[in-house]
Structures are given as C-alpha cells and as structure tokens.
Amino acid sequence: MNPASRASPWAARLGLIVPSWNTAMEYELQRLCAGQYSVHTARIAYQADTVENLTRLSREAFTAIEVLAHAQPDVVCFGCTGSGFLKTPQEDQAFAEALTAHCGIPTLTSSAAVLSEFSHLGARRIAVATPYEDWVNQRLRAYFEAAGFEILALTALGDAAHGRKSAQEIAQQTIEACPPDAEAIFLSCSNLFTLDVVDSIESATGKPLLSSNIAAFRGMQRRLKEGRLPP
C-alpha cells in the first residue's frame, strides 16, 4: 500500500523490532523523526547478552515482523545491533533480505546500516565505544574488519545494562578514548542514549559520529526514498 493512500498525518511509518529491554531506540527515533514519521515497535523477549539470546532474536524476528506488519510500516529496522555482529556482513544482509521477502516490507538491520552510513561518509578508520562485554566487542571488531573497516580504538563503556549509562559518562569516555587519526566515531548499541552527546563529542574531537540509532534512522530514510517493494 502506498503511504499516500492511507489516512495518516505522517509522511511514512517506521517499524522497529527490538529486544524487550530496549528503552532507548524508540525514544531516539521519535526525536529524529520530529513528527515527520511515526514509529511502531515489535518486541522480542530479551534480558541478557548471550550468544544463545542474540541468535534467538534473529530467529524470532520472523514472527515479530508478521505482527508488526499489521501496522503497515513502510520500512522496518531490526534494531539489535549486537545480534548483527554474530553474523558476517554478508549473512547480516541475507538476514535482512529474508525478512523483506517474508513480509514484503523493506527491512534493514541497524548493524548493516552503520556500515552503509560510514561508507557514505567515506570513513574507514573508526573509533568505537560500546556498553558490551568483551566477547561482543570482539564480534563487532570482526564484523567491521570483514567489511573493510579498521577499528583504531574500541572502548568498553563498562555497563552491560546498556540504557543505564548516563549521557555525560558516555561523552567523557568516548572523547578521551578517540585517537587523533580516527576518521569517525561509532557509539554502538540501539539501547544506548546518545542524541544529547553527539554535538559535544563531535565538537571536542572534530570527528563525525554515528550511533546505532542515528545510522538506523538514516538507513530507513534511504529505503523510503528508494520506495516500497512493488505489489
């Protein structure tokens, strides 16, 4: 269905699939939408970062997108960035394509959106800060390197609870850890509040910054410009 044919005050509807403990992604995307788009979310039960849980998220995403499709979103983002890092970039893209085919709604992953946005920026040498445990950080490094990026610094923010980290703490640790030869900065995890620190980090470092949520939003905008799949 073409979004223009529906009774709606928005230009388009954005769909999200998130882990159930995520409290940041919906809020940040709503802020980024600034009333232009609406945000509709499906949740998958999740309470701890383990290989089993992250793998299960991808498996259960197919059921989640079936329910989310009832809201007729124009594009969907699978919003668990860490889950993408358990795959290769090629596997991650294939997963998004499988979700797209399953419900006929253009779907991307937040992890793949990050790679795409850094490519658009022309940045290959990246400084990264995350709230993950070390084993997830190593999967992140492998994912980026497989896509041709170089991780110059990988800073653990020291809070596997993700959303509990304050914006001030995130900013300070990220600025202190950013090497001068980095071309850009990545704040990973869609369950991390980042919008209030982007300007301060970019001003202090002179580097462009992407978070999982900013990259997801930009990726969804790009898919909207490309248009929905043919009927």
Side-chain angles (χ1 to χ4, degrees):
M1 179 183 295
N2 187 300
S5 69
R6 297 176 306 201
S8 172
W10 308 291
R13 300 175 184 179
L14 309 186
L16 298 180
I17 300 172
V18 297
S20 57
W21 73 356
N22 189 308
T23 59
M25 191 173 196
E26 292 153 297
Y27 168 74
E28 295 213 322
L29 259 69
Q30 286 165 353
R31 285 181 59 181
L32 290 165
C33 287
Q36 182 180 11
Y37 311 122
S38 60
V39 178
H40 309 276
T41 308
R43 313 186 86 79
I44 300 174
Y46 189 91
Q47 291 184 298
D49 284 339
T50 66
V51 172
E52 180 182 6
N53 282 345
L54 289 168
T55 302
R56 179 178 52 78
L57 285 175
S58 295
R59 186 169 63 248
E60 295 185 6
F62 291 89
T63 300
I65 201 171
E66 290 175 2
V67 178
L68 182 59
H70 297 173
Q72 299 182 349
D74 299 293
V75 61
V76 171
C77 179
F78 177 75
C80 181
T81 314
S83 179
F85 299 146
L86 268 61
K87 309 174 182 72
T88 66
Q90 294 77 18
E91 290 168 342
D92 197 22
Q93 182 59 36
F95 168 64
E97 291 172 358
L99 286 172
T100 298
H102 189 65
C103 275
I105 304 168
T107 302
L108 63 149
T109 68
S110 56
S111 41
V114 172
L115 299 185
S116 177
E117 291 307 313
F118 276 128
S119 294
H120 282 291
L121 289 172
R124 310 301 294 184
R125 296 160 62 83
I126 313 298
V128 180
T130 89
Y132 306 138
E133 297 177 25
D134 182 65
W135 70 269
V136 184
N137 285 332
Q138 297 314 310
R139 297 294 187 101
L140 180 157
R141 181 184 294 276
Y143 181 91
F144 268 74
E145 290 177 349
F149 293 87
E150 183 178 359
I151 303 299
L152 300 187
L154 206 168
T155 303
L157 296 171
D159 184 11
H162 300 184
R164 286 209 303 255
K165 201 72 176 178
S166 75
Q168 292 73 23
E169 291 172 304
I170 292 169
Q172 180 179 353
Q173 288 183 255
T174 302
I175 291 167
E176 291 175 352
C178 181
D181 52 344
E183 296 172 336
I185 300 169
F186 174 42
L187 290 176
S188 187
C189 186
S190 63
N191 196 25
L192 199 65
F193 293 96
T194 59
L195 294 186
D196 290 333
V197 300
V198 173
D199 289 344
S200 61
I201 294 174
E202 290 186 336
S203 177
T205 62
K207 322 285 184 186
L209 181 147
L210 284 178
S211 67
S212 293
N213 294 338
I214 292 171
F217 177 69
R218 292 180 184 174
M220 296 172 89
Q221 284 187 306
R222 293 183 192 280
R223 292 302 297 269
L224 287 172
K225 290 177 182 178
E226 295 168 3
R228 285 179 60 91
L229 298 175

